[in-house]
Amino acid sequence: MLAVENLSVSLPMEGGRVPVLADVSFALARGESVGLVGESGSGKSMTALAIMGLLPPGAATSGRVLFDGRDLLAAAEPELCAIRGRRIGMVFQEPMTALNPLMSIGAQVTEPLRLHLRLGRAEAEARARRLLARVGLAQIDPHRHPHQLSGGQRQRVVIAIALACGPELLIADEPTTALDVTMQAQVLDLLGELAAEQGLALLLITHDLGVVSATAARVMVMYAGRVVEAGGTGAVFAAMAHPYTRALFAASPHEAGGRPAPIPGQVPDPQHRPPGCAFAPRCPRAQRDCVATVPVLSPLPFKGRGLGEGSACGASAASPAPSPPPSPASGRGSHVAACFHPHPAP
Amino acid sequence: MTGYFLRRALVLLSTLLAASLVVFVVLQVLPGDPAALMLGTGARPDTLAALRHHLGLDAPAWLRYLRWIFGILRGDFGISYTYNVPVAELVRQRSALSVPLALLAIVLSTAIAIPVGVFAAARRGSVRDAALMGAAQVGVAIPNFWLGILLILLFAIHLPWLPASGFPGWGEGLWPGLRALILPALALALPQAAILARVTRAAVIETLGEDFVRTARAKGLTRGAALWRHAVPNALIPVVTLIGLQFSFLLAGTVIVENVFTLPGLGRLVFQAIAQRDLIVVQDLVVLLAGSVILVNFTVDLAAAAIDPRQRRPGA
Amino acid sequence: MRGAWRSRNLLAGGAITALMVLIALVSLVWTPYGPTQIDIVHRLATPSAAHPLGTDLFGRDELSMLMAGAQSSLSVALIAVIVGAGIGVPIGAFAAARGGVPDDLVMRACDLAFAFPALLTAVMITALAGPGAINAMLAIGIFNIPVFARITRGAARGVWGREFILAARAAGRHDTAITVLHVLPNIAAVLLVQATIQFALAIVADAGLSYVGLGTQPPQPSWGRMLNDAQTFIWRAPLLAVFPGLAITFAVLGLNLLGDGLQDLLDPRVRRAR
Ligand SMILES: Nc1ncnc2c1ncn2[C@@H]1O[C@H](COP(=O)(O)OP(=O)(O)OP(=O)(O)O)[C@@H](O)[C@H]1O
Ligand code: SF4
Ligand SMILES: [Mg+2]
């Protein structure tokens, strides 16, 4: 249903255009849940905004974002307006600021209903009340204003807005980051339930690997504007072939591994991305060839090659043959990573 | 809301009282003998005594202040020394010009500034934005009384469309009176509009960057709908507050612009009263003008609270 | 691009302001004619080689009067700003240092003072002491006091919360010493921007007061007075009503641009906003 193909985005900044997304490709089938993980600044929100057609002014794009066969990057504004909120809903990172402080929550939920479904006032209000009840806000008066609600309640309102018109795709951009732990679990459960119940596809953006493993069937790991590892959640977590995935896992609190070990260093600014593999400066497995060329996504495991040897990586980088972007038809589900020296399969 | 209102009303009342006290002290206590000030150095002792008696100066200052304040509360502002009529009557006559003029100016400046500011913000960085904001930058620098003179040159002398001066009153209907107020109102409104447009633009640009505008767009609202329904109302909160603050400048402007167009309003009355050393009229007018500034700012605070539910919180 | 635009504000504003100051200074030692020199024969002359901007109703040279007007206008405004800042800044700094009841009182007093625009203050002063340049300076200066008190207090409170102030207090420094040594230097930039803005407002206020006859008194030339005189003969010599207004607008525009430029230079937050 959704196919992102070789999406690149660059933004105007002081001192010229800066690429924030490079060559991002993935696909999402109807009813499927996919996780998109990565540190802050890796380009997750940009990916979501590119799909929505809500990139900051001046952004330049290349590639395609196919939604039911229509290229949204090439679509005209009125067509996008008809899709946003109607067929694609979005939940944002910051519930504290995502709602208009001057409008009652009821009015904000009603707005897309009246706009897209052309409901009358009374009908829209009744529907809004049901939606609020469905996201667990049955007790809340729709005439309340956002400042009278807690963060978790506000995020539920945002979810109600996103789901109001029964979309086919829901993009949730770190829906729980700003919430406390118990609230996080509740909101995630709610999203999972709603996705299953309404058969909608879910693109769940997070920097928390635990959230992904619990919610998504497939996962994509992003670093510095590129997808560096992707595959079925089970396969990716079992292998953790890409050193970044492994570092991210080590950095997140999890039951098995004791105390989280933060990844040394920081995500490079889009302006100052190193040549070759962007993770090289922080990568424990980096070798000299890593800074020469950018590794491309290749299927795992690399059969018959000695892992960790320069020759093997050089071969996979030199020939583009083993690294087609996973196309919606063939590549879905296959486990791929962009690394010259991935961790060996367990 | 009621608690909020009561608290604000209490502050309002005490500010009004304080303002009247300031005026009274400056004009009645500081000069020592107001009667001597009014009559000048060459006054004859018996005239002086008569005026002192007329002004009630035999009484102590605090009693005179109380008399004055309670008089005002009853609508009795005292008797003008030069016109020999109740000041209240003078104020009533002159307000018939000054109040509509100030209102017209505020309405004009708001009606010009908000669309311009929103338009420029929506097209920020464009040539039209740069042109509008360049014009606003110059507009801010033009003094209203000079703009008044330029408008007279242009629309009364060069193109004889509107009267250059005077006011026929409202007796002959709405249009003749309004015609006389158009140029002065424009002279007052345009420089204010320039300031307001700049502030509106900045406020709208700031709100356009807010998350809730993005939420609105994600709902499927068009750029224009998100702008007008979500960004502009939020941007208007600081703008409304500024309109209130501008009122005091507008009032000062009215006083001068009435002189440019020789309009018989409160402004001209102030200067006539000064020229004739009619201290009672000066005192009443200053306290009225200051009082109306305070009242307008109070109203604007309430309006901002009405727009913004966050300000209605108890304890805020 | 945006950086260039900004420095253009600063450059244009600085250049205009410098030009105005230069003209005012030159007028002290030289003007084409004496600014008060009456020449009834050549009254209301149109611009010519002898009188580039023409002459007024008494035959005085318009250009010379404008130059002298710049001098009187700038000095009234300068002194008014000095009075306002000289009294307002200490009051604001005191309120910020003390906090609590003194702070509340100062802020309430400022609220009250804002109900009296410069013109109303001037009206009261002239009612007492008669019109004149000194009284205009005083009136505008008094009006400036609460403006400076408020901005100083707001900015200073921000500084008082910072860590190096805590360190200075821990070291046993007296409040006054901290204010002078640490707080004021840190808010100097904000005050400078405000002073520029108030200077521009003071020029307009001075012109307004002299236009209605409450400010600078003849024969000393002033832009506002010139406008008032010109209005009497507006049918015969419309240009006379244009030049003084242009001078005011030009001076105010220069100061406003300078203030905007300084503000952008000093406030990195605004710099990043788009
Ligand atoms: N409006 C903008 N203008 C310029 N650069 C931007 C803008 N928004 C984001 N960026 C840059 O784009 C890159 C990707 O940002 P993005 O918001 O997609 O990261 P993210 O993965 O969502 O991070 P987070 O977890 O913090 O939300 C970052 O380096 C960021 O600095
Ligand atoms: S390509 Fe090299 S630097 Fe990049 S992640 Fe793999 S091993 Fe590390
Ligand atoms: Mg993000």
Side-chain angles (χ1 to χ4, degrees), chain A residues 1 3 65-76 79 83 87:
Chain A
M1 172 186 55
V65 172
L66 296 175
F67 183 67
D68 266 354
R70 282 290 298 158
D71 184 3
L72 297 185
L73 292 184
E79 188 182 348
I83 291 177
R87 302 185 59 197

Side-chain angles (χ1 to χ4, degrees), chain B residues 12 20 102 153 215 282:
Chain B
L12 168 77
S20 69
L153 266 177
T215 306
V282 173

Side-chain angles (χ1 to χ4, degrees), chain A residues 11 13 20 39-46 56 93 174 207 270:
Chain A
L11 293 175
M13 284 190 215
V20 291
E39 273 169 292
S40 192
S42 54
K44 307 181 298 288
S45 296
M46 281 298 145
Q93 192 161 346
E174 311 209 29
H207 57 244

Side-chain angles (χ1 to χ4, degrees), chain C residues 106-242:
Chain C
V106 167
M107 285 304 105
R108 278 280 103 85
C110 284
D111 286 346
L112 178 63
F114 277 115
F116 296 90
L119 189 84
L120 279 194
T121 321
V123 163
M124 288 203 286
I125 292 180
T126 34
L128 286 180
I134 307 270
N135 290 337
M137 287 176 196
L138 269 181
I140 305 171
I142 291 175
F143 168 72
N144 272 327
I145 294 173
V147 177
F148 278 101
R150 251 199 197 174
I151 191 117
T152 305
R153 181 256 187 188
R157 270 172 64 105
V159 177
W160 273 99
R162 305 240 298 261
E163 280 183 6
F164 63 92
I165 299 281
L166 288 180
R169 298 183 99 169
R173 282 270 189 193
H174 191 261
D175 278 1
T176 316
I178 295 179
T179 298
V180 173
L181 291 176
H182 298 291
V183 177
L184 288 183
N186 266 291
I187 64 171
V190 179
L191 293 182
L192 183 66
V193 171
Q194 192 66 35
T196 318
I197 297 168
Q198 293 309 119
F199 202 107
L201 286 174
I203 287 182
V204 178
D206 167 60
L209 290 179
S210 44
Y211 174 82
V212 292
L214 298 185
T216 310
Q217 295 297 301
Q220 167 70 28
S222 67
W223 292 339
R225 189 78 206 182
M226 288 168 76
L227 276 176
N228 195 330
D229 289 345
Q231 220 186 327
T232 326
F233 289 87
I234 196 163
W235 297 85
R236 279 181 60 186
L239 277 180
L240 290 184
V242 174

Side-chain angles (χ1 to χ4, degrees), chain A residues 83-99:
Chain A
I83 291 177
R84 284 187 209 120
R86 175 71 186 87
R87 302 185 59 197
I88 308 180
M90 181 149 178
V91 176
F92 294 96
Q93 192 161 346
E94 266 302 329
M96 303 313 274
T97 52
L99 293 172

